[in-house]
Amino acid sequence: MYTPPFFKPDRAASLKFAEERGFGTMCAFDGHKPVASPLPFYLTYAADGTPQAAFHVARHNPLVKLADGATSWLLAINGPDAYVSPDWYVSPDQVPTWLYQSVHLGGPVRPMSDDELAVQIDTLSDIFESWLLPKTPWTSAKMTAGRFETLKKAIVGLVMTVDEVEGSFKLNQHKSDADYAAIATALGERDADARQISRLMRQARPQVFEDQAFEDQVFADTNKLERSVS
């Protein structure tokens, strides 16, 4: 992944982002063309601290035959993204751009054993069911044993040993405070992804918006005083 220094998060931040997202596109190469599948996953860590991405796919998914434990695959995890119009900047002579968060994990992928797959299924559902609390979590124990075993035979568990972590969090970090605040403000008035980018920008450079909030309050108080005098 090409990432200018301004936008490059550290390894820990990239892994945290991937873990919190839990969904990405797994990509491999079959010798002729790329093969990819969108899928949920979770991260674990080996005894030596090496990250591992655990997931499963349908048994007939072409990825299954490519999981040789040696060839490197790519897991692309994307977050919110938003278009930025040059008209929103304070400074002149700007160009259109796109703000986003993205992390790529790379490494070889091997098949899981049946026992590993059973753990993977329960762990994966436990993670995502926790997002729905206070709903009572779903577990595989709610299914009849025969039904669960039948469905389990239709999938193959896979695990990536992550030996490469790359990230790009492009949030206009290289812009002036004035331009940065103007873009975050404009994005805060648009769709859900744009508003999320705006929140991330505000979290990354909060002092810009503290000053802006103070100036806005002074402006509002001044206007109120002028109206009362008139």
Side-chain angles (χ1 to χ4, degrees), residues 7 80-91 93-101 169-176 178-191 193-199 201:
F7 311 139
D81 62 84
Y83 171 73
V84 172
S85 170
D87 293 331
W88 297 341
Y89 288 97
V90 174
S91 301
D93 298 326
Q94 301 293 320
V95 295
T97 193
W98 210 278
L99 304 187
Y100 60 85
Q101 287 186 304
F169 293 175
K170 185 181 177 186
L171 300 173
N172 261 359
Q173 295 95 319
H174 59 310
K175 297 296 186 180
S176 69
D179 283 331
Y180 190 91
I183 295 306
T185 300
L187 292 176
E189 299 172 352
R190 304 196 65 77
D191 60 35
D193 264 21
R195 291 195 300 272
Q196 193 168 349
I197 291 290
S198 176
R199 285 193 293 271
M201 293 177 71

Side-chain angles (χ1 to χ4, degrees), residues 107-178:
V109 175
R110 65 164 178 84
M112 291 180 181
S113 67
D114 286 344
D115 289 343
E116 287 177 310
L117 175 58
V119 172
Q120 196 271 340
I121 293 170
D122 285 338
T123 303
L124 193 67
S125 63
D126 286 348
I127 290 171
F128 297 122
E129 284 289 320
S130 72
W131 294 6
L132 306 180
L133 293 174
K135 168 190 172 299
T136 301
W138 178 92
T139 70
S140 60
K142 291 186 176 182
M143 302 182 68
T144 59
R147 174 64 173 165
F148 180 69
E149 289 302 317
T150 297
L151 291 176
K152 195 169 71 169
K153 290 177 181 177
I155 61 176
V156 175
L158 301 171
V159 59
M160 168 190 279
T161 299
V162 179
D163 57 24
E164 188 170 9
V165 179
E166 300 177 307
S168 182
F169 293 175
K170 185 181 177 186
L171 300 173
N172 261 359
Q173 295 95 319
H174 59 310
K175 297 296 186 180
S176 69
D177 284 352

